[in-house]
């Protein structure tokens, strides 16, 4: 099942389990977000198109992180006049994990676990700069004991 939602003046086609980057949404990491502006639903029963929205349809998501987007450079120039101006901008964006879609008599849920790992941490792990965290070690193996060092007095007696 899939849905087309509208947020931040843009439209996104989403399915349960998708990770979507949208315009900034207020909330802390781990917060549940729901979208009521569902423009279209598609599933086993066919496609339902809203006019303008599908009544009673809802998309649930979990906010993973809010971050700054890519840098955009603005460069202005008038040739032969010595006029050059450089400016830049980084737009705030939110990363969402879609957890469920319901509407038009159908429901689709994502069975996975939402992990709140930021993009910076994922990049650091890929470069080998951050320690990898194991899920849950079953049992810690006992550490091997070293043989006690011989004392100098014993060595001189022999």
């Amino acid at each position: 099942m899939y849905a087309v939602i509208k947020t931040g003046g843009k439209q996104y086609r989403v399915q349960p389990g998708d990770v979507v980057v949208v315009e900034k949404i207020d909330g802390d990491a781990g917060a549940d977000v729901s979208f009521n502006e569902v423009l279209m639903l598609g599933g086993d029963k066919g496609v339902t198109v809203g006019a303008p929205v599908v009544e009673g349809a809802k998309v649930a998501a979990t906010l993973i992180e809010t971050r700054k987007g890519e840098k955009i450079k603005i460069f202005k120039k008038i040739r032969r006049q010595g006029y050059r101006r450089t400016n830049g901008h980084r737009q705030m964006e939110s990363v969402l994990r879609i957890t469920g879609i319901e509407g038009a008599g159908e429901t689709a849920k994502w069975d996975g676990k939402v992990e709140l790992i930021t993009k910076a941490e994922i990049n650091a792990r890929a470069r080998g700069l951050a320690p990898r965290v194991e899920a849950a070690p079953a049992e810690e193996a006992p550490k091997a004991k070293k043989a006690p060092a011989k004392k100098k007095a014993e060595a001189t007696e022999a």
Side-chain angles (χ1 to χ4, degrees), residues 28-119:
D28 295 328
D32 292 330
V33 180
S34 70
F35 298 99
N36 295 326
E37 281 194 85
V38 179
L39 305 176
M40 186 173 92
L41 285 172
D44 297 335
K45 295 182 179 178
V47 176
T48 305
V49 179
V53 295
V54 179
E55 295 298 324
K58 189 168 83 170
V59 174
T62 302
L63 182 64
I64 296 175
E65 75 171 319
T66 300
R67 65 183 186 206
K68 284 189 173 184
E70 296 293 321
K71 282 187 179 180
I72 298 173
K73 287 198 174 188
I74 297 108
F75 182 72
K76 299 177 181 179
K77 178 181 177 182
I78 299 176
R79 63 183 185 165
R80 296 188 295 272
Q81 304 300 318
Y83 176 81
R84 295 190 310 176
R85 300 289 180 267
T86 303
N87 203 346
H89 179 70
R90 291 183 74 184
Q91 186 70 30
M92 294 298 289
E93 58 189 24
S94 295
V95 180
L96 302 171
R97 168 77 74 174
I98 305 299
T99 56
I101 299 173
E102 59 184 53
E106 292 185 71
T107 302
K109 298 241 184 249
W110 183 62
D111 296 331
K113 178 185 171 192
V114 178
E115 294 184 15
L116 303 177
I117 299 175
T118 62
K119 183 179 179 187

Side-chain angles (χ1 to χ4, degrees), residues 115 117-118 120-137:
E115 294 184 15
I117 299 175
T118 62
E121 189 173 345
I122 291 171
N123 291 342
R125 286 183 183 179
R127 288 182 276 140
L129 300 176
R132 295 191 181 265
V133 178
E134 297 298 326

Side-chain angles (χ1 to χ4, degrees), residues 151-158:
K151 296 181 181 178
K152 291 183 181 180
E154 292 177 5
T156 55
E157 290 177 6

Side-chain angles (χ1 to χ4, degrees), residues 10 13-14 16 23 27-28 31 38 50 53 103 120 129 139 155:
K10 298 176 185 146
R13 182 185 188 272
V14 296
E23 295 287 323
D28 295 328
V38 179
V53 295
L129 300 176
E139 291 183 19

